Amino acid sequence: MINKKNSVAKRIRQTSSRRLHNRYYGRTTRSRVKLLRSMESFDEASKALPTVTAMLDKLAKRGIIHKKKASNLKSKLAKHVNSLRPQA
């Protein structure tokens, strides 16, 4: 005879800890995206873009955000960084 109460309690513990973990990484990435969008210097933005891109890829790989959302964000950020490039 199984003890259902124990498995339910374990599932609650697991989901709450995963939720905290996912919220932390999602929030950290969103703040980095906002920081990158607010940058005005091409040099700073081009240095920050690969790290933000990697963070978005990791979130998509782990299922925290959808992979197409990550792709759209990366595209918009790259567009923003290229718009900061000095015109010759």
Side-chain angles (χ1 to χ4, degrees), residues 19-39 48 51-60 63-66 69-70 73-74 77:
R19 181 174 174 268
L20 284 174
H21 182 267
N22 291 344
R23 281 184 65 193
Y24 171 76
Y25 283 104
R27 191 74 228 150
T28 305
T29 305
R30 281 197 301 271
S31 62
R32 290 284 175 92
V33 167
K34 285 179 188 176
L35 185 68
L36 181 60
R37 282 186 178 148
S38 67
M39 288 182 182
T51 59
V52 174
T53 302
M55 291 172 86
L56 288 169
D57 285 336
K58 285 179 187 174
L59 289 182
I64 298 171
I65 61 172
H66 196 272
K69 180 175 177 64
L73 281 171
K74 290 191 302 185
L77 290 173

Side-chain angles (χ1 to χ4, degrees), residues 2 7-8 12-13 20 33 35 37 44 51 70 79 82 84:
I2 67 167
S7 63
V8 170
I12 290 170
R13 286 194 310 269
L20 284 174
V33 167
L35 185 68
R37 282 186 178 148
E44 290 178 8
T51 59
K79 206 176 204 183
N82 285 333
L84 297 176

